[in-house]
Amino acid sequence: MKVIAVYNIKGGVGKTATAVNLSYAATIDGNKVLLLDIDPQGASSFYFKTKPSMDGDANKILFGGRSIESAIRQTEFTGLDILPADSKYRKLDHFLYEMKKSDKWLSKLFSPVRKQYDYVFIDCPPSITSVSRNLFENADAMLVPVIPTILSIRTYEQLREFFKEEGFDKKKLFPFFSMYERRKNMHNESMDIFASNYPECIKIAIPYNSEIERMGEYLAPIVHKYPYAEASEMYMKLWKKLKKSL
Ligand SMILES: Nc1ncnc2c1ncn2[C@@H]1O[C@H](COP(=O)(O)OP(=O)(O)O)[C@@H](O)[C@H]1O
Ligand SMILES: [Mg+2]
């Protein structure tokens, strides 16, 4: 079982769109996949029409005592399950801060389902917290959507610097381009510079496509709804390239 966290310090860069579409791409590629939505805003859960169960006490699942299995829900897509977000996840950071041996939290959380899934995707909230540090330490890959603009590239540089300073493994970082607009010279130029400065970059650009924004209306991954759209083909390619690198 490999754990892939979709992460960026910034919000609004396409993390959720990526988590939803790549977990679906990995599923139709023949894998058993679990999507863990730990962003308390719950956008991934919304796209997959799932809610946390009323009796499923997120505290007990995430903070020990109760197995993760009881909170996992099936999506309408065979082979793709989800652990829906819960507003209580806001307390997760505080919990990890207080917990002894918190660096083992993620692997302990997954141990009951390790054999059931080939891949786990994590839709992360933005910002650097104890939760993100746990992922930096324990995830197999950090997939980082980067919009090809100066500011967005800067946040990737900051993340890379943070990895270096804190001794996390930089080989886990897999940036790629998100919301790419071909007509914009700035996007084309930034992508060239980024790819030559950061060889770890997966050279795939998900184009800007308003059908991705409309996922909130049709409630499904664009890869499912419009499989022949360029964005869907790029998500599939991104998945195949990432899989090879893991
Ligand atoms: N490639 C894209 N083209 C057009 N809109 C996109 C694309 N990727 C994401 N979006 C839209 O941009 C907004 C932010 O994306 P989202 O995936 O929620 O970002 P994050 O999870 O990083 O906050 C959403 O409205 C989403 O539908
Ligand atoms: Mg999000």
Side-chain angles (χ1 to χ4, degrees):
M1 190 188 86
K2 299 267 186 207
V3 177
I4 301 153
V6 187
Y7 179 80
N8 193 311
I9 305 171
K10 248 168 99 69
V13 296
K15 292 183 295 298
T16 298
T18 304
V20 164
N21 281 290
L22 281 214
S23 51
Y24 179 74
T27 307
I28 57 174
D29 191 30
N31 299 292
K32 286 280 289 169
V33 178
L34 174 66
L35 172 59
L36 176 62
D37 185 4
I38 54 169
D39 186 345
Q41 292 187 0
S44 291
S45 312
F46 174 71
Y47 288 137
F48 282 118
K49 306 178 201 166
T50 49
K51 288 196 182 109
S53 73
M54 296 307 281
D55 63 342
D57 186 351
N59 282 312
K60 289 202 185 113
I61 290 154
L62 292 176
F63 312 157
R66 188 155 157 189
S67 162
I68 187 176
E69 282 168 293
S70 61
I72 290 173
R73 299 282 167 267
Q74 289 180 341
T75 69
E76 67 191 89
F77 306 108
T78 309
L80 175 54
D81 293 347
I82 183 167
L83 190 84
D86 191 298
S87 56
K88 295 194 186 78
Y89 291 179
R90 291 201 172 86
K91 294 186 190 147
L92 189 54
D93 222 47
H94 178 68
F95 161 75
L96 282 182
Y97 185 74
E98 304 260 289
M99 186 186 188
K100 287 191 193 112
K101 298 201 179 145
S102 69
D103 54 329
K104 296 276 181 299
W105 167 74
L106 194 70
S107 22
K108 264 181 90 179
L109 182 72
F110 287 133
S111 65
V113 295
R114 193 160 281 281
K115 292 212 174 73
Q116 289 171 40
Y117 296 103
D118 302 303
Y119 296 97
V120 173
F121 284 86
I122 306 181
D123 185 13
C124 302
S127 81
I128 292 181
T129 60
S130 313
V131 178
S132 7
R133 293 180 71 100
N134 209 284
L135 300 176
F136 298 165
E137 184 69 42
N138 291 295
D140 296 287
M142 308 295 302
L143 187 57
V144 188
V146 176
I147 303 174
T149 59
I150 305 292
L151 266 187
S152 189
I153 289 176
R154 221 176 134 251
T155 55
Y156 178 71
E157 288 166 354
Q158 287 165 343
L159 176 64
R160 206 172 185 266
E161 213 33 53
F162 185 81
F163 260 62
K164 204 165 136 192
E165 280 166 15
E166 303 278 320
F168 294 115
D169 183 1
K170 274 197 300 183
K171 289 203 279 298
K172 287 184 183 178
L173 292 173
F174 294 98
F176 69 97
F177 301 108
S178 177
M179 301 191 204
Y180 165 54
E181 292 178 78
R182 193 169 278 120
R183 295 171 293 110
K184 291 190 176 167
N185 284 339
M186 211 260 253
H187 278 204
N188 292 305
E189 286 161 18
S190 308
M191 276 170 39
D192 286 346
I193 296 169
F194 188 88
S196 63
N197 286 350
Y198 302 112
E200 69 269 31
C201 167
I202 303 184
K203 290 178 194 63
I204 294 284
I206 309 299
Y208 185 91
N209 181 332
S210 52
E211 293 302 338
I212 296 181
E213 278 173 325
R214 292 188 51 236
M215 275 171 35
E217 286 167 31
Y218 56 78
L219 299 180
I222 186 175
V223 178
H224 172 76
K225 178 83 175 169
Y226 300 107
Y228 300 111
E230 190 195 352
S232 301
E233 287 174 4
M234 289 301 147
Y235 277 127
M236 286 306 297
K237 280 194 178 167
L238 177 62
W239 162 243
K240 299 247 158 102
K241 285 210 172 192
L242 177 67
K243 184 174 71 171
K244 273 197 188 154
S245 315
L246 291 175

